[in-house]
Amino acid sequence: MTEAMWGYEGAEGYAAGSDLTGYRVEATDGHIGKVDKHTVDVGAGYVVVDTGPWIFGREVLLPAGTITRVDDAEKTVWVDRTQDEVKNSPEYDKDKHADDPAYRNQVGGYYGGTAV
């Protein structure tokens, strides 16, 4: 994967400009949390998922390219990663990582893509 890792192009049902905040997030093997924040920047899109009590309130950043489907009626986003992959992802700190290119490189590498 390349720049597609950071775009919504592969997400079935995603409409440009949609607000995904508050949507439920499902991994390939179960629920992982809800969307706390998302960006729609071209080639730099991502969602921040609040995992709640599942992994002790930790937030994780998922590149937009990990999203396979969006259902507005169910307010649900599905990602093509397992719960363990999400749980073991690089630590996300909104105060440090939101605009940090080195962090994006790390996340892109972890999920098998490249940075923006």
Side-chain angles (χ1 to χ4, degrees), residues 15 18 23 32 37 47 49 55 81 85 92 95 103 108:
S18 294
Y23 278 39
I32 58 172
K37 175 185 176 185
V47 294
V49 179
I55 50 177
R81 297 299 189 263
E85 284 177 295
Y92 176 72
D95 295 325
Y103 177 73

Side-chain angles (χ1 to χ4, degrees), residues 30-51:
H31 180 70
I32 58 172
K34 66 177 184 140
V35 176
D36 187 46
K37 175 185 176 185
H38 75 104
T39 65
V40 293
D41 300 338
V42 175
Y46 62 84
V47 294
V48 174
V49 179
D50 179 353
T51 62

Side-chain angles (χ1 to χ4, degrees), residues 6-78:
W6 300 97
Y8 292 93
E9 293 82 11
E12 176 189 334
Y14 177 75
S18 294
D19 183 2
L20 304 177
T21 305
Y23 278 39
R24 182 178 171 85
V25 182
E26 296 289 327
T28 58
D29 56 354
H31 180 70
I32 58 172
K34 66 177 184 140
V35 176
D36 187 46
K37 175 185 176 185
H38 75 104
T39 65
V40 293
D41 300 338
V42 175
Y46 62 84
V47 294
V48 174
V49 179
D50 179 353
T51 62
W54 176 59
I55 50 177
F56 307 108
R58 181 173 167 228
E59 290 186 324
V60 295
L61 184 139
L62 297 173
T66 63
I67 298 172
T68 58
R69 187 165 67 115
V70 176
D71 187 319
D72 288 325
E74 291 186 33
K75 298 206 178 298
T76 302
V77 170
W78 285 268

Side-chain angles (χ1 to χ4, degrees), residues 82-102:
T82 65
Q83 289 178 328
D84 280 344
E85 284 177 295
V86 173
K87 185 177 183 178
N88 296 322
S89 66
E91 186 76 29
Y92 176 72
D93 180 332
K94 65 183 172 192
D95 295 325
K96 290 195 265 185
H97 298 135
D99 296 313
D100 181 1

